Amino acid sequence: MNTEQLPHTIKAPRIEYIDLAKGICILLVVLFHLKEMYKVHSCLDVYLYSTLIPLYFFLSGYVFKTYGGWNEFILKKIKRLIIPFAFFYITTSVLIPITAHHFFGINFRSGQDWRLIYAFLTYGSFPNIPLWFLWGLFILNIIFFALHRTFRNDIILGGMCILLCFILGHTFKLPASLNKTFQGLPFFYFGYVVHNHNIMSHIKGKYAFPITAAMFVSIGMIGESMFDIPLKMLMSAFGVMSLLIICRKFKHVPYVSYVGRYSIMVLVTHEPMIRLLNVFHVHNIYICFLIIAISYFAIIPFMRKFMPHVTAQK
């Protein structure tokens, strides 16, 4: 049944394995940013990086709905993306750095003055970097909605998404993290197609995961070539599908599914927590990861109760 045809008063049930996939993704995002902060790298980073952002865009496309028209669609996306972005940008990327600098002598490499207000528009470096995803996802939703209404044929729609990805994502240097945004457009489309055509129900058999995982790993071993961008996109697609197949099998893993259900809360808060732990000289990334992960047993209920309007819960 197409959930877009449900009356607005009826809430479609959550898809368990999608929450699990979101949970795995956001926890890996936390780990990745810890690795970046403490400069801990390994040969597996290429696989981690090639999956995280594409998976998030894929999952966003998977739950894409038109909501009936432009007005309702834009209002929904402002409520779910722009309001959280604006609130946490002002608090964590402007007010906290300025306050930390003037009252506690803590300096941020990305700046600590009022120029931070427009930093996300002019350069990519601001204290709470993961927030770019909410801004980028809002832009991406508007673009995809316009393309979806213009090109009714899914093949033409996909072609336009890939074309915009190469022109605006890889050819020109754009401000406000828009290059990364447009690079996610094909994966957003991929998620939309997988859900709209119920493709996951056709992927069956015990060899589905080994094949997709083997392709993911094999492409990652290929060095740079003239086909570097298409190969990386293909690698990401296989990585996304292999993870989705595993999540469909297990459906629900208590803590991971929980943070997946409220992944936006983890997205907007984990970077300030990493910086705070750094200030207190907690330098073991696995201890940091454990502290951050455990903290969400308190942070998520607190935000659900006291901050629902700025965390897309209302």
Side-chain angles (χ1 to χ4, degrees), residues 93-127:
S93 279
V94 180
L95 295 180
I96 289 177
I98 291 174
T99 302
H101 171 66
H102 285 286
F103 292 98
F104 302 101
I106 300 172
N107 294 322
F108 290 78
R109 285 180 300 173
S110 47
Q112 50 273 333
D113 57 43
W114 291 107
R115 286 176 296 179
L116 287 169
I117 291 175
Y118 54 84
F120 79 98
L121 288 173
T122 55
Y123 60 94
S125 181
F126 49 89

Side-chain angles (χ1 to χ4, degrees), residues 222-231:
I222 300 174
E224 292 188 10
S225 70
M226 61 181 296
F227 303 108
D228 194 43
I229 294 174
L231 282 173

Side-chain angles (χ1 to χ4, degrees), residues 66 164 246 300:
T66 59
L164 286 175
I246 285 292
I300 290 175

Side-chain angles (χ1 to χ4, degrees), residues 29-260:
V29 166
V30 174
L31 182 61
F32 180 78
H33 286 146
L34 280 167
K35 285 164 64 67
E36 289 292 299
M37 171 66 77
Y38 296 113
K39 295 179 171 54
V40 177
H41 301 292
S42 73
C43 59
L44 298 178
D45 287 352
V46 63
Y47 295 103
L48 186 62
Y49 186 75
S50 68
T51 306
L52 293 180
I53 295 177
L55 176 60
Y56 238 131
F57 280 123
F58 173 93
L59 295 172
S60 301
Y62 192 95
V63 297
F64 172 81
K65 298 182 181 69
T66 59
Y67 298 109
W70 271 108
N71 291 340
E72 188 176 358
F73 183 82
I74 291 176
L75 286 174
K76 288 275 188 184
K77 295 308 169 185
I78 289 174
K79 183 178 177 181
R80 295 181 180 180
L81 297 171
I82 292 300
I83 289 177
F85 168 78
F87 177 82
F88 285 99
Y89 185 84
I90 293 297
T91 54
T92 64
S93 279
V94 180
L95 295 180
I96 289 177
I98 291 174
T99 302
H101 171 66
H102 285 286
F103 292 98
F104 302 101
I106 300 172
N107 294 322
F108 290 78
R109 285 180 300 173
S110 47
Q112 50 273 333
D113 57 43
W114 291 107
R115 286 176 296 179
L116 287 169
I117 291 175
Y118 54 84
F120 79 98
L121 288 173
T122 55
Y123 60 94
S125 181
F126 49 89
N128 197 353
I129 289 292
L131 291 176
W132 78 266
F133 182 77
L134 295 178
W135 160 258
L137 193 56
F138 175 78
I139 300 297
L140 205 59
N141 268 277
I142 300 301
I143 292 168
F144 190 81
F145 185 86
L147 292 173
H148 182 267
R149 289 176 70 93
T150 304
F151 304 102
R152 299 292 183 176
N153 183 287
D154 282 351
I155 295 176
I156 298 176
L157 175 61
M160 291 302 300
C161 289
I162 293 172
L163 184 64
L164 286 175
C165 167
F166 276 92
I167 294 176
L168 298 177
H170 294 284
T171 305
F172 301 102
K173 185 166 180 59
L174 303 175
S177 302
L178 288 177
N179 285 105
K180 290 188 288 186
T181 296
F182 282 106
Q183 287 168 18
L185 188 53
F187 298 103
F188 191 99
Y189 164 80
F190 185 27
Y192 163 78
V193 168
V194 168
H195 182 246
N196 199 45
H197 294 278
N198 201 20
I199 289 175
M200 288 303 295
S201 65
H202 301 294
I203 301 177
K204 300 176 181 177
K206 60 182 180 180
Y207 297 112
F209 174 74
I211 291 172
T212 54
M215 292 298 296
F216 173 58
V217 173
S218 299
I219 296 173
M221 294 178 179
I222 300 174
E224 292 188 10
S225 70
M226 61 181 296
F227 303 108
D228 194 43
I229 294 174
L231 282 173
K232 285 182 178 177
M233 291 174 65
L234 191 61
M235 176 187 174
S236 297
F238 278 116
V240 166
M241 289 307 296
S242 58
L243 182 58
L244 219 59
I245 291 167
I246 285 292
C247 291
R248 183 184 60 176
K249 179 177 178 61
F250 288 95
K251 291 186 173 62
H252 182 86
V253 176
Y255 176 78
V256 181
S257 297
Y258 178 64
V259 295

Side-chain angles (χ1 to χ4, degrees), residues 37 88 91-93 96 108 127-131 265-279 292 296:
M37 171 66 77
F88 285 99
T91 54
T92 64
S93 279
I96 289 177
F108 290 78
N128 197 353
I129 289 292
L131 291 176
M265 299 178 185
V266 183
L267 179 74
V268 299
T269 57
H270 76 272
E271 182 80 3
M273 292 174 67
I274 291 173
R275 291 180 181 272
L276 183 63
L277 290 170
N278 189 45
V279 168
I292 292 170
Y296 284 108

